[in-house]
Amino acid sequence: MEHFSIHSRVGAGILAVAFAVPLPGFAASSGGWLQARDQNPFALASGLPLAPAIPHEGRWQFDATFNVANTELAQFRDGASVVFDAETHESRIGAAYAFNDRWSLRASLGYLTIGDGFLDAPVERFHRAFGFDNGDRGQLGTEAPAIEVRDAGVTRYALDKASSGSGPLLIDLTRRWQLYDQHLFGIALGGKLATGSVRRLTDSDSSDVSLSAFSMMAFGERLDLGMRAGMLLRSGNHLLAEHARDQVPFAGIVLRYRLGDKWSAWLQSDAHGALYRGLPDFLGSAANQLNFGLSRRLGSASEFQFTVAEDLPALHSSDVAVTLNWRLRTGQ
């Protein structure tokens, strides 16, 4: 948890500065977050919430997102082991509506496919270009997909063939305050409904709730800064139930810089505490997905986002994750 605690302290320090320093030029409509989550399917099966949605008063915001993540690893710790050789594809549709300038509601539903995928060769070429030791796929001697979690000689979870199905339904209610023209603050109450399958690794069967706070600011007309932090509470987890943690902290920071009228560059960090105890790092340690993105406005009401993500520390989460998102706001 040391890595996550450092991330949290840095975020808390920036939040303190954010509330103390007024900056010109912010409007609620200018803020936003990438629709990225930790693409480890054990994390996708939980109720970890998406970053806040901030639609205009009386208007809708729709997001259509496709994520692909590729991972190959074998880890061991105190008699427990994790083998993961698979590629995950998640498609997610989200809709948010702002009832007024204070309250908004969002729901999103995903569909997850776990298989052998198509990113092995590009990942190998990338790793070899930088001389990484884990550059070549196929070193585990498995045929993807191969997922196995063992503890004390007992297999806790195994998946050895392609699988697909609906993921959890995520719902969140947001209350926001416009503190100044340049500063927005809000809180969000999230919930998860188990609409997937433990056997297919698309759900944990748990009933999760989350509570978080977030802040959005602008530095002049080009740079936006957003921060959030919260806690996920899990109940009735049937996915690795013997190891599941009931409380998981999470935090995030986003920077968006406008390159012009249509293009923007993004940097977003999404961290969370360990989902499980007594297991190797892929499941038993804090994770931080660092997202590098570009977006382009399409007309006055929509935007396309492209994001490449890497996990920190390396090998704790997905080796590489790519996100494509199309966002539409009505009434622009």
Side-chain angles (χ1 to χ4, degrees):
M1 294 295 291
E2 179 181 357
H3 177 75
F4 183 76
S5 63
I6 292 173
H7 183 97
S8 300
R9 289 197 295 269
V10 172
I14 299 176
L15 275 172
V17 174
F19 281 102
V21 181
L23 297 163
F26 180 79
S29 60
S30 69
W33 297 72
L34 297 171
Q35 296 297 289
R37 287 202 302 161
D38 185 349
Q39 290 300 298
N40 180 340
F42 290 89
L44 293 176
S46 75
L48 282 170
L50 292 162
I54 312 174
H56 291 269
E57 176 184 356
R59 297 174 183 174
W60 290 89
Q61 175 181 305
F62 299 98
D63 284 281
T65 310
F66 175 73
N67 299 287
V68 55
N70 186 289
T71 301
E72 180 180 310
L73 56 81
Q75 297 177 343
F76 304 89
R77 173 181 172 184
D78 299 332
S81 64
V82 173
V83 173
F84 193 103
D85 182 5
E87 186 169 296
T88 61
H89 299 171
E90 185 201 29
S91 302
R92 179 166 289 274
I93 300 294
Y97 180 74
F99 300 102
N100 47 46
D101 61 356
R102 299 176 300 277
W103 292 96
S104 61
L105 182 67
R106 174 177 57 178
S108 70
L109 181 64
Y111 189 87
L112 185 66
T113 299
I114 302 173
D116 54 356
F118 58 86
L119 283 180
D120 280 347
V123 170
E124 284 185 11
R125 287 194 291 268
F126 175 81
H127 284 169
R128 289 174 184 173
F130 290 90
F132 294 161
D133 293 337
N134 63 330
D136 291 333
R137 292 304 201 246
Q139 294 184 5
L140 297 182
T142 62
E143 183 175 347
I147 301 172
E148 183 180 74
V149 181
R150 293 177 61 85
D151 179 40
V154 178
T155 300
R156 302 297 184 183
Y157 183 84
L159 182 69
D160 60 2
K161 60 182 179 180
S163 176
S164 62
S166 297
L169 174 64
L170 302 178
I171 302 173
D172 54 75
L173 179 67
T174 299
R175 172 64 161 94
R176 64 182 187 245
W177 293 264
Q178 191 77 41
L179 301 182
Y180 311 101
D181 288 343
Q182 76 281 359
H183 192 174
L184 180 75
F185 171 76
I187 57 174
L189 176 64
K192 170 212 157 187
L193 298 180
T195 52
S197 165
V198 170
R199 180 176 58 84
R200 296 177 179 174
L201 194 52
T202 63
D203 209 316
S204 64
D205 267 359
S206 61
S207 298
D208 300 352
V209 296
S210 63
L211 181 63
S212 59
F214 64 90
S215 177
M216 298 280 318
M217 300 178 306
F219 292 74
E221 296 181 354
R222 290 188 176 271
L223 181 64
D224 291 339
L225 168 66
M227 291 153 289
R228 64 172 181 142
M231 181 69 72
L232 174 69
L233 304 178
R234 311 163 78 197
S235 176
N237 194 320
H238 292 153
L239 181 61
L240 302 176
E242 302 85 353
H243 299 275
R245 293 183 181 274
D246 295 331
Q247 300 180 13
V248 180
F250 59 89
I253 299 174
V254 63
L255 288 170
R256 177 180 185 177
Y257 185 78
R258 287 169 182 77
L259 303 172
D261 292 338
K262 295 183 180 297
W263 289 92
S264 295
W266 301 72
L267 175 63
Q268 181 169 311
S269 172
D270 293 300
H272 63 79
L275 294 169
Y276 297 94
R277 61 173 62 87
L279 292 176
D281 289 339
F282 187 62
L283 299 177
S285 294
N288 182 6
Q289 182 169 289
L290 193 60
N291 307 281
F292 304 90
L294 285 174
S295 66
R296 189 184 191 280
R297 288 181 55 194
L298 305 173
S300 61
S302 66
E303 181 179 50
F304 178 77
Q305 302 169 344
F306 171 79
T307 305
V308 177
E310 180 60 73
D311 61 293
L312 297 173
L315 298 182
H316 281 206
S317 183
S318 303
D319 278 358
V320 63
V322 177
T323 299
L324 305 176
N325 183 69
W326 177 66
R327 175 170 295 168
L328 173 66
R329 292 187 174 102
T330 65
Q332 298 291 313

